[in-house]
Amino acid sequence: MNIVIIEDESAIADTLIHVLEMDGFQAHWFNTAGAGVAHLKTKSADLLILDVGLPDGNGFELCKQIRGFSDIPIIFLTARADEIDRVVGLEIGADDYVTKPFSPRELLARVKLRLKSIRRQAQPECEQGQDELRVENFDYVRGNTALGLTALEFRLLDALLKSSPRVLSRQQLMDFSSMPSEEAYERNVDSHIKSIRNKLQKVALAECLKTKRGFGYYFEKE
């Protein structure tokens, strides 16, 4: 999933990018309204995190402009905490309003809630049946689409699917996948999980591979 951030404070943007990418999202940051809008007009995105106070424009006006060509979910992230600002932000088309200082985990939860709501309106992403994941030639396939997993990614996803919905720690994933000793460290597991999530996007199952903060990962089947 692609998240666009329009925010002029680099420290805040860095925090958002870190939190989002650790959870499997792709984040694209722009520090001006002009650059952000130009991107949104030419590239697809799944959600926008938008600051109100930007160096080249007002976030409220920018939101109205974006609503003229896109229905992308918009979450305002701003220091303007007055009730009238929150009301205005929601009335002009934003989906949520978060004030600074903010909790990165809370903002991540709000992002996932908005995206989950949209997916439910479209179709259940983790539905099984004829379109369930199956093994072919040491790869996982859904419908006619193969994920294109590496040998190690295949073993990691295989362990998660066979253990579903149980949470597996990074150490358990390293053990179950027989990760080579020179690669067996927890940060490397995170990198492989991110790659698997990206490949699951091809078959609309990326959101089924979930993170349990402080514990590990699990695959949720509906």
Side-chain angles (χ1 to χ4, degrees), residues 3 10 19-20 26 46 53-54 77-79 85 89 93 126-127 130 140-141 146-148 172 183 211 214 219:
I3 311 297
S10 59
V19 169
L20 290 166
Q26 294 182 12
D46 298 290
L54 295 165
L77 179 61
T78 174
D85 290 320
C126 305
E127 67 180 2
Q130 284 188 331
Y140 269 99
V141 179
L147 298 184
Q172 287 174 314
E183 297 185 24
T211 302
F219 196 93

Side-chain angles (χ1 to χ4, degrees), residues 32-78:
T32 65
V37 169
H39 177 85
L40 290 170
K41 285 183 175 180
T42 58
K43 305 290 184 180
S44 62
D46 298 290
L47 184 140
L48 169 64
I49 299 174
L50 176 61
D51 189 12
V52 173
L54 295 165
D56 61 336
N58 179 282
F60 291 151
E61 293 301 319
L62 184 60
C63 179
K64 289 190 285 186
Q65 181 183 346
I66 292 169
R67 280 289 171 258
F69 63 86
S70 174
D71 60 356
I72 184 174
I74 297 175
I75 298 178
F76 273 122
L77 179 61
T78 174

Side-chain angles (χ1 to χ4, degrees), residues 2-191:
N2 294 299
I3 311 297
V4 172
I5 302 164
I6 303 179
E7 163 66 59
D8 65 327
E9 295 185 48
S10 59
I12 291 177
D14 287 343
T15 298
L16 292 173
I17 291 169
H18 175 73
V19 169
L20 290 166
E21 291 188 343
M22 283 299 296
D23 214 77
F25 294 101
Q26 294 182 12
H28 305 275
W29 171 44
F30 303 93
N31 61 5
T32 65
V37 169
H39 177 85
L40 290 170
K41 285 183 175 180
T42 58
K43 305 290 184 180
S44 62
D46 298 290
L47 184 140
L48 169 64
I49 299 174
L50 176 61
D51 189 12
V52 173
L54 295 165
D56 61 336
N58 179 282
F60 291 151
E61 293 301 319
L62 184 60
C63 179
K64 289 190 285 186
Q65 181 183 346
I66 292 169
R67 280 289 171 258
F69 63 86
S70 174
D71 60 356
I72 184 174
I74 297 175
I75 298 178
F76 273 122
L77 179 61
T78 174
R80 297 171 66 165
D82 291 343
E83 181 182 17
I84 185 61
D85 290 320
R86 294 197 299 271
V87 170
V88 169
L90 296 172
E91 286 185 345
I92 63 176
D95 297 88
D96 206 345
Y97 195 102
V98 178
T99 57
K100 302 173 184 177
F102 66 99
S103 161
R105 287 187 178 183
E106 179 186 352
L107 182 59
L108 177 63
R110 289 173 182 256
V111 166
K112 294 168 77 171
L113 179 63
R114 291 296 161 192
L115 294 174
K116 187 174 183 179
S117 175
I118 292 171
R119 290 191 200 97
R120 282 179 172 172
Q121 295 172 16
Q123 62 179 24
E125 291 219 356
C126 305
E127 67 180 2
Q128 301 297 304
Q130 284 188 331
D131 290 330
E132 66 183 356
L133 284 169
R134 65 186 187 278
V135 176
E136 288 185 7
N137 298 322
F138 299 100
D139 196 4
Y140 269 99
V141 179
R142 190 185 193 200
N144 296 318
T145 304
L147 298 184
L149 300 169
T150 66
L152 182 53
E153 290 170 353
F154 173 79
R155 293 196 296 270
L156 287 169
L157 181 57
D158 191 59
L160 288 163
L161 287 167
K162 289 178 178 177
S163 301
S164 176
R166 184 161 61 94
V167 177
L168 297 181
S169 68
R170 292 173 176 83
Q171 183 60 56
Q172 287 174 314
L173 286 168
M174 286 188 284
D175 294 340
F176 290 156
S177 65
S178 301
M179 186 175 287
S181 58
E182 65 272 16
E183 297 185 24
Y185 55 94
E186 292 188 351
R187 297 293 292 182
N188 206 26
V189 173
D190 294 337
S191 177

